[in-house]
């Protein structure tokens, strides 16, 4: 597994398709801050999206998609000089899976959201810009457009398990959007995501994620990455913000935290699975990173969950 796949799997990423929107004439709708990550794509026509905290509107054209990665209110509109109205009553009155506003059918959008476990903001979302805009028409966007076309087809034909298929396709689309963004604008992300854009650092990250229990040293990771120890240490620190072994410790603790929240494994079994020689070694590292002992952490999440 590569780091992006690892993190998305660890966070229990799921997709939820929402009611589509058909609009015409002059219209403007206001939406509250979403939970998770909101996405919309324009299947016909064009419109604008404005997002709280961002100075400029984004013009959306047919085939464009945007991801709203932070919980900010936003508006969709035909004209920027219009005062938007609350979208909720419009969507509550939807029929056949489509909400309608304005006059005519100039614009059609489909959308939804991705939900994650509670570590998503720290592990993934804080490393992304507030909004990711993916314009249509670029060669790299072909796979994403394929997924969107299939989603639309599933929702239109309503074959057996159509909603489930469409939601899995939406998850495919999320991965493509993140890939495209990392390839086209690596400087807009931070932390381990930045490391994926550096081939040397990415090789080390992939090695650690493929075998987190291995007793890695910086020298071993440097050999895997085909660079010197000092080169790897410097490039890793510059891209990710921590040293390779500090990153490895953090990832091991994330793995341990997940197993403590979702399973009944003993601390000894967890320690062995993620590369610690004993329960006490894991406990010391866990408390140093999280501020709580593994036992306290498990009890806290069992109570809250």
């Amino acid at each position: 597994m590569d780091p992006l796949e690892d993190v998305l799997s660890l966070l229990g990423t799921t997709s939820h398709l929402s009611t589509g929107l058909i609009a015409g004439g002059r219209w403007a709708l206001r939406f509250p801050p979403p939970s998770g990550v909101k996405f919309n794509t324009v299947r016909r026509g064009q419109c604008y999206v404005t997002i709280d905290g961002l100075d400029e509107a984004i013009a959306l054209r047919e085939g464009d998609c945007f991801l709203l990665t932070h919980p900010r209110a936003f508006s969709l509109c035909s004209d920027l000089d219009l005062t938007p109205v609350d979208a909720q009553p419009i969507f509550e009155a939807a029929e056949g899976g489509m909400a309608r506003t304005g006059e005519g059918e100039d614009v059609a959008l489909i959308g939804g959201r991705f939900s994650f476990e509670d570590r998503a903001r720290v592990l993934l979302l804080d490393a992304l810009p507030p909004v990711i805009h993916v314009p249509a028409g670029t060669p790299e966007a072909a796979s994403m457009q394929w997924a969107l076309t299939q989603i639309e087809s599933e929702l239109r034909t309503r074959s057996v398990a159509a909603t489930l298929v469409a939601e899995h396709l939406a998850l495919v689309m999320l991965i493509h959007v993140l890939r495209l963004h990392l390839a086209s604008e690596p400087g807009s992300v931070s932390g381990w995501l930045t490391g994926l854009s550096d081939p040397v650092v990415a090789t080390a990250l992939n090695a650690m994620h493929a075998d987190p229990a291995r007793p890695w040293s910086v020298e071993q990771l440097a050999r895997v990455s085909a660079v010197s120890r000092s080169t790897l240490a410097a490039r890793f620190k510059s891209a990710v913000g921590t040293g390779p072994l500090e990153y490895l410790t953090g990832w091991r603790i994330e793995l341990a935290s997940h197993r403590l929240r979702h399973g009944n494994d003993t601390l000894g079994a967890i320690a062995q699975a993620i590369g610690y020689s004993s329960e006490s070694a894991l406990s010391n590292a866990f408390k140093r990173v999280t501020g709580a002992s593994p036992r306290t952490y498990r009890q806290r999440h069992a109570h809250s969950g």
Side-chain angles (χ1 to χ4, degrees), residues 210-230:
D211 191 1
R214 181 172 172 175
W216 290 104
S217 66
V218 177
E219 184 175 355
Q220 289 172 324
L221 290 168
R223 282 202 298 269
V224 169
S225 304
V227 294
S228 69
R229 184 182 185 281
S230 59

Side-chain angles (χ1 to χ4, degrees), residues 181-262:
H181 186 71
L182 287 170
S184 61
E185 297 188 52
S188 68
V189 298
S190 60
W192 63 273
L193 283 172
T194 305
L196 296 181
S197 302
D198 182 318
V200 169
V201 176
T203 301
L205 284 168
N206 282 324
M208 288 187 281
H209 278 257
D211 191 1
R214 181 172 172 175
W216 290 104
S217 66
V218 177
E219 184 175 355
Q220 289 172 324
L221 290 168
R223 282 202 298 269
V224 169
S225 304
V227 294
S228 69
R229 184 182 185 281
S230 59
T231 296
L232 174 64
R235 287 175 68 161
F236 202 101
K237 176 75 171 179
S238 174
V240 179
T242 65
L245 300 188
E246 289 82 1
Y247 176 86
L248 178 61
T249 296
W251 179 243
R252 285 173 170 173
I253 298 305
E254 289 295 343
L255 294 173
S257 300
H258 186 265
R259 295 180 71 155
L260 289 168
R261 293 195 304 271
H262 296 284

